[in-house]
Structures are given as C-alpha cells and as structure tokens.
Amino acid sequence: MTTAETASGVLPELADVPPAELRVAVLGVGMMGADHVARLHSRISGARVVVVSDAFAEKAQQVAAEVPGCRVIPDPLTAIADPEVDAVVIATPGQFHQEQVLACIEHGKPVLCEKPLTMDAESSLAVVRAEDAYAARTARRLVQVGFMRRFDPEYAQLRALIESREIGDPLVVHCVHRNAAVHPDFSSAMMITDSVVHEVDVARFLLDEEIAAVTVLRPKASRHAQAGQSDPLLVIFEMDSGRIVDVECFVRTGVAYEVRTEVVAEDGSAMIGLDLGLVRQTGGPSGATRSTAIAPGFRERFGRAYDIEVQRWVDAARRGTIDGPGVWDGYAAAAVCTAGVEALRSGRRTEVGLAERGGGPP
Ligand code: ISE
C-alpha cells in the first residue's frame, strides 16, 4: 500500500500527506533537470531536493554537491522507491519516461514529468489508463506533464481573454516558434516532437478542444538545414470545431528565441510574445534606431513560467495531487505529434484519432 492509498480505497488521513516540506527526487540532471534542482533549492518554497539521479555519475555528484543533504541514487527506480522521497521530477531523456512515470504511480508519488510524457501515443495511453485506475481508487491525480507555457503570465492572460468572450469567438491562431540554433542532429521530425509539441499544447489550452488533423508543409529549406531535412516547417492543425491553427517552426534562425501567438477572433485579435521589455532609442550616423532585447533561449523566455509551474506543483504535491496539465494532455500531444510526423513523411493531411477518454476525477 502506498502513502496515497488505504486498504478501503478511502482518501488517506492528512497525516499521510507529506508534512511541511516536500522531499523531491530529480531524475536526470542535464540542462533542464539541473535547472529544476537550482530552482527548487533557491526559489521554491515548501520543497527540498533530497535525491538526484543521472546516468552520468560525475554530473549527478556535481549537482548534488550544490544542495546540502542531497544524496545521489544512480538507479532512477530505486530513487523513486526511496522512503525519503515524497515526489519526483522527471527530466531524463524521453525514452525512459514511461517506466519512471509508471513507477511513480505504483508508489503513489506525485510526479512532474518533462515533455514528452512518453515517446508515442500508444505508450502514453498506457500511462493514462494506469493513472485513471489509480485515480478511481483514490480520487487523486499524480502525473503532471511539463507544458510550462500554461503557467506563463502572457499565455494565462490570453486564455482569460478568450474565456471572457471580449474578442468574440476565436477563428484562427497564428503561432511562431523560432530557435536561434539547435544541435546538428535535430531532424525535421524532432521539430515536430520537440518544438511544435508546445504549440500542440498551446492550441488545446487556448481553444479548449482537441486537434482533429495535421498537415505539414515544407517551405524552401534554409541553407542552414542539414541535407535532406526541412527547416522551416509550416504545420496546420484543424481543430475539432473547424478553427485553424498555423505554426511556423524555424529552429536555425541564428537570431534569438522567438515565440509569438496571435489569436484572431470574430470581434478582435490579441497577440503575445513580443518581448517588449525595455525599448531603447539611440542616434547614429545612419539615423536613429529603436530596439528591445529578445530572449536568447527558452529558459530565459519561460523562466518565470517554470518557477510558477514548479511552485504550484510543489503546493499541490504536498496535498498528494497535481495542479496543471495531466496525462490526458500528455497523451493528446503524443497522438498529435505521431500524426504530425506521419504528415511530414507523407506530405498528406493526417487525422489524429484519439482514444476514448476515461472517466474519473479531472
Ligand atoms: C526544446 O526542447 C524546448 O522544449 C523548447 O521550449 C523549444 O522551444 C525547443 O524548440 C525545443 O528544442
């Protein structure tokens, strides 16, 4: 029996819920995991990193050394099972997520899993069903998926505006997703599964409906794209209601990190992501210029969103549950990306075809 279950299936007593401080294991301490360790250690209240785990022992030791009392447990499944661990952050490579998330469910430990939930729609659905069964017994959800944009104040504002109906019914959404650079093996398929996946979640989050079909167009390729790969891509989502979302994904611009979203509705439109912090004006021999700084990467652009996401996850995990996108969102994103990769390959419109959604608590 786990901390969040009782023999009768009745909710656990409050004493079963972790006390004042949530003891967290962070699995995978590459760029994102190490960032989460630093965040939990310095900016998040009510939590303490007690365990880190990584395939690279030296890296794990180095990260653990920054946090007093933090242990290294090389095997991630042992780290999840550790009695000193109340909750888990998964930032390992995607191919390990399914096994690790299922282990968290088995141990009744809340988990924040970086995207992707798993590598394909079928394995994500297996996680959905496992968590549904847990939720049916305990009335609690355990798995949160790291779609951090939902916590970004601009995205939250845009969704609130849509919900207020002040601009009328949304009809079209334009998304721009540009990275300055990616590593050389970043393929066109990865542009769908690693980058466009965020726009999949944004479309579902803003419009509150599912994506029915995906089409991928390949514009003229940048000379910086690897041979045989396309960059940029133009991805079209057809939503269940007939609304259209278009995504320009371009990951080798050489400029900066640019993520913009514009919603065009019946009675107005709204845009976020202009990065209009400080606007600077300078004179010069060829005339005066006006300029603003653009975030160099996603950690800077979405730093505040990550902080809010992790704080809300910690607060919820201390109550034994989650507060954010869950397994169904992870599954829907995986299903759309699977269709997207097929649409990229075939050049054809590809339907998504989601499974039946189970019941249970939201
Ligand atoms: C990266 O993995 C992310 O998640 C970023 O948010 C995205 O902008 C980037 O394209 C991905 O590679």
Side-chain angles (χ1 to χ4, degrees):
M1 192 162 51
T2 64
T3 46
E5 292 169 31
T6 63
S8 60
V10 172
L11 282 182
E13 295 298 314
L14 269 183
D16 284 351
V17 175
E21 224 176 19
L22 187 80
R23 297 166 301 175
V24 180
V26 178
L27 313 183
V29 288
M31 182 179 67
M32 215 48 246
D35 240 36
H36 283 322
V37 171
R39 167 173 294 110
L40 283 159
H41 182 52
S42 58
R43 296 196 289 285
I44 302 298
S45 61
R48 183 159 53 97
V49 180
V50 292
V51 167
V52 295
S53 177
D54 198 281
F56 296 99
E58 208 177 306
K59 178 73 187 163
Q61 292 295 353
Q62 199 186 323
V63 172
E66 298 293 314
V67 183
C70 180
R71 290 179 291 142
V72 173
I73 300 184
D75 175 42
L77 299 182
T78 309
I80 293 167
D82 192 277
E84 206 206 347
V85 167
D86 301 316
V88 180
V89 172
I90 297 180
T92 50
Q95 66 265 33
F96 303 115
H97 289 187
Q98 183 185 13
E99 183 183 44
Q100 293 169 359
V101 171
L102 288 175
C104 291
I105 297 173
E106 194 188 313
H107 289 278
K109 296 190 180 179
V111 52
L112 174 62
C113 177
E114 276 302 333
K115 56 91 187 161
L117 175 58
T118 71
M119 300 301 276
D120 56 42
E122 203 187 320
S123 53
S124 284
L125 189 58
V127 174
V128 170
R129 299 303 184 222
E131 204 222 29
D132 278 352
Y134 174 86
R137 292 198 308 276
T138 63
R140 284 190 176 155
R141 294 276 168 197
L142 284 182
V143 185
Q144 183 164 329
V145 181
F147 288 125
M148 77 297 185
R149 289 197 195 174
R150 293 186 183 215
F151 300 90
D152 173 67
E154 287 191 353
Y155 277 102
Q157 242 183 311
L158 188 56
R159 181 173 149 130
L161 179 67
I162 293 171
E163 276 176 344
S164 75
R165 311 294 294 173
E166 272 174 51
I167 55 170
D169 198 24
L171 307 172
V172 175
V173 180
H174 303 294
C175 304
V176 168
H177 187 142
R178 298 187 195 140
N179 291 188
V182 284
H183 59 78
D185 327 318
F186 201 90
S187 64
S188 307
M190 285 173 75
M191 288 169 66
I192 306 278
T193 55
D194 210 52
S195 305
V196 174
V197 63
H198 285 291
E199 311 301 337
V200 170
D201 191 62
V202 159
R204 297 181 61 255
F205 172 64
L206 291 178
L207 300 176
D208 201 17
E209 59 174 323
E210 298 295 353
I211 296 171
V214 190
T215 305
V216 180
L217 303 176
R218 299 171 181 252
K220 182 177 191 299
S222 156
R223 71 179 195 286
H224 302 296
Q226 300 299 108
Q229 301 293 320
S230 297
D231 187 10
L233 294 177
L234 205 58
V235 183
I236 318 286
F237 303 143
E238 291 168 51
M239 308 303 291
D240 273 348
S241 67
R243 293 168 177 143
I244 298 283
V245 177
D246 62 71
V247 181
E248 175 224 298
C249 182
F250 187 8
V251 295
R252 294 171 184 84
T253 64
V255 180
Y257 190 72
E258 297 170 81
V259 165
R260 289 194 282 279
T261 305
E262 182 177 21
V263 175
V264 183
E266 280 172 335
D267 302 312
S269 64
M271 187 190 276
I272 59 167
L274 293 176
D275 262 353
L276 288 178
L278 180 76
V279 181
R280 190 175 155 186
Q281 311 194 108
T282 31
S286 47
T289 56
R290 181 174 291 144
S291 63
T292 66
I294 313 177
F298 60 88
R299 286 186 302 164
E300 293 82 3
R301 166 66 181 86
F302 288 113
R304 176 102 185 92
Y306 283 117
D307 286 352
I308 298 171
E309 171 192 54
V310 174
Q311 184 64 67
R312 280 182 47 186
W313 174 74
V314 164
D315 295 344
R318 286 167 68 191
R319 303 189 303 270
T321 187
I322 60 164
D323 179 11
V327 283
W328 182 262
D329 302 298
Y331 160 68
V336 174
C337 288
T338 304
V341 170
E342 173 54 22
L344 172 75
R345 192 196 61 76
S346 67
R348 295 217 172 89
R349 171 184 185 274
T350 305
E351 297 199 348
V352 176
L354 291 179
E356 272 300 300
R357 191 166 183 166

